[in-house]
Amino acid sequence: MRFISDWLAAAPYRAVVLNIAMLVLLLALVDSTALFALVGASCLAVAGLVGLRGALRASFTRGGGARAAFDRVLVWLPGAAALTLGAVGLHLAVTAPAGSTLHLAGVALFGFELVMLALPADGKPAPAKAV
């Protein structure tokens, strides 16, 4: 018999995705725009700062020399795009009427982009196992 802990331990990112999904679902169910805005903005700020630190580290090679401009864009662009889309999703989730299509799209976009910000870009997926 397989337990959920075995499934979560098979790939480390699964626990992160599950925790973020539970947080976003809880915020959506509480139906408090002020709480959603406060917690959501705090999550985006923390994820943005962690991403900024990683991007700054990746922008420079270990030898002390700078990377090419195109390589820096490839390092900075995914995180900046995810942060921007997460902020748009948070804005839609907070400003749109509860239950509307824009509200639900905002909640989904915010949750998805928060997952993208939380997962490490250099993490390698676990190899597939035969059942």
Side-chain angles (χ1 to χ4, degrees):
M1 178 177 194
R2 297 190 139 233
F3 294 103
I4 190 141
S5 60
D6 295 335
W7 180 79
L8 287 172
Y13 66 87
R14 290 178 181 171
V16 172
V17 172
L18 187 61
N19 282 329
I20 290 174
M22 288 187 305
L23 172 70
V24 172
L25 183 63
L26 182 65
L27 287 174
L29 289 175
V30 168
D31 198 28
S32 170
T33 57
L35 183 64
F36 201 113
L38 179 68
V39 173
S42 299
C43 289
L44 285 177
V46 169
L49 287 175
V50 170
L52 176 68
R53 187 187 79 193
L56 283 173
R57 283 185 180 171
S59 290
F60 300 99
T61 59
R62 294 201 184 265
R67 288 181 140 188
F70 183 73
D71 289 338
R72 279 194 224 138
V73 169
L74 290 177
V75 167
W76 287 86
L77 190 61
L83 193 60
T84 302
L85 288 173
V88 168
L90 180 62
H91 175 71
L92 287 175
V94 171
T95 58
S100 69
T101 305
L102 284 177
H103 175 76
L104 296 175
V107 169
L109 182 63
F110 171 73
F112 180 75
E113 294 303 329
L114 193 58
V115 167
M116 292 297 107
L117 286 168
L119 295 179
D122 59 348
K124 295 181 177 136
K129 295 179 183 177
V131 178

